[in-house]
Amino acid sequence: MLLRLMTGRSHLLVGAFTSFCAMRWHILTPDIVSFFTALIGSLLPDIDTERSMMGARMKWLSRPIARMCGHRGLTHSAVFWVAVAVLCRMLFGEDVLAGPLGALLLGVASHICVDLPTGGCQLFGPLSRSRVSVWPYVKTGGVGEVCLLVPTLALLGWCGWNAMPIHLGHDLHHPAHQRLHVPFSGDMALPS
């Protein structure tokens, strides 16, 4: 039980810090709904096992997904989630990725990144069933996870508080920026 909670908490912490950075960098709209959907996204890939925080509460869903995909299969696939993002963008426009849906997908991405050094994932599923793992390999729920988590959170925290916001080619009319700028009406010319 302790290992399950520690792992879920790790995903929640990384998801929270990642969403904070994305809001700070104006990639996501800074609102509470987006923050909470990022947290949900940080747990979502583990719906493929009933031993996870989310899977234990939704066994009716996690059991069939586990039978169909296995743990760290399709729900941990970057190809699958990028396809979801592209489909959502095509259906609803680019702005949808700056709000709660984009935050959910960012939470999912943070989860997958954190799982890569803890046994890996089928990152390219369904195109490939091979697991991709990165160094350093650490045991989930062990001291290694804490040793990986602390510098990750420190780096994300530093980026969120101290780094200059990165606009990644977004203009100031992007929905994520609209809440950050006060619109002015009328002529701004100085009196002569």
Side-chain angles (χ1 to χ4, degrees):
M1 182 70 173
L2 178 62
L3 294 181
R4 235 185 331 191
L5 292 174
M6 178 59 185
T7 302
R9 287 179 182 158
S10 296
H11 284 302
L12 285 170
L13 284 169
V14 173
F17 274 67
T18 303
S19 65
F20 170 73
C21 286
M23 289 175 188
R24 171 87 169 105
W25 295 341
H26 311 295
I27 297 168
L28 290 177
T29 304
D31 62 35
I32 195 71
V33 175
S34 293
F35 180 76
F36 280 110
T37 57
L39 294 180
I40 292 168
S42 72
L43 297 175
L44 186 59
D46 277 345
I47 194 68
D48 63 3
T49 177
E50 63 182 83
R51 296 181 317 184
S52 67
M53 285 179 88
M54 187 174 280
R57 288 160 181 78
M58 301 174 70
K59 290 181 182 180
W60 56 272
L61 184 58
S62 65
R63 285 178 179 161
I65 291 174
R67 280 193 296 272
M68 287 188 309
C69 304
H71 184 46
R72 294 193 179 189
L74 189 61
T75 62
H76 287 70
S77 166
V79 171
F80 173 75
W81 291 109
V82 166
V84 168
V86 168
L87 181 63
C88 289
R89 183 178 178 191
M90 286 171 35
L91 292 175
F92 306 111
E94 181 181 350
D95 297 346
V96 75
L97 297 179
L101 181 62
L104 180 91
L105 294 171
L106 183 66
V108 167
S110 75
H111 180 109
I112 293 170
C113 289
V114 171
D115 276 356
L116 288 175
T118 59
C121 311
Q122 289 180 15
L123 200 60
F124 301 107
L127 305 176
S128 170
R129 296 187 69 112
S130 299
R131 278 196 180 208
V132 175
S133 184
V134 298
W135 183 89
Y137 181 80
V138 296
K139 184 178 177 186
T140 303
V143 174
E145 181 178 352
V146 175
C147 291
L148 183 66
L149 182 64
V150 170
T152 300
L153 294 178
L155 178 64
L156 286 169
W158 179 83
C159 289
W161 284 110
N162 298 319
M164 292 297 291
I166 299 171
H167 295 288
L168 299 176
H170 294 267
D171 61 32
L172 294 179
H173 301 292
H174 194 274
H177 299 276
Q178 290 175 357
R179 292 186 184 193
L180 301 174
H181 300 284
V182 178
F184 293 102
S185 60
D187 189 13
M188 295 299 296
L190 294 173
S192 38

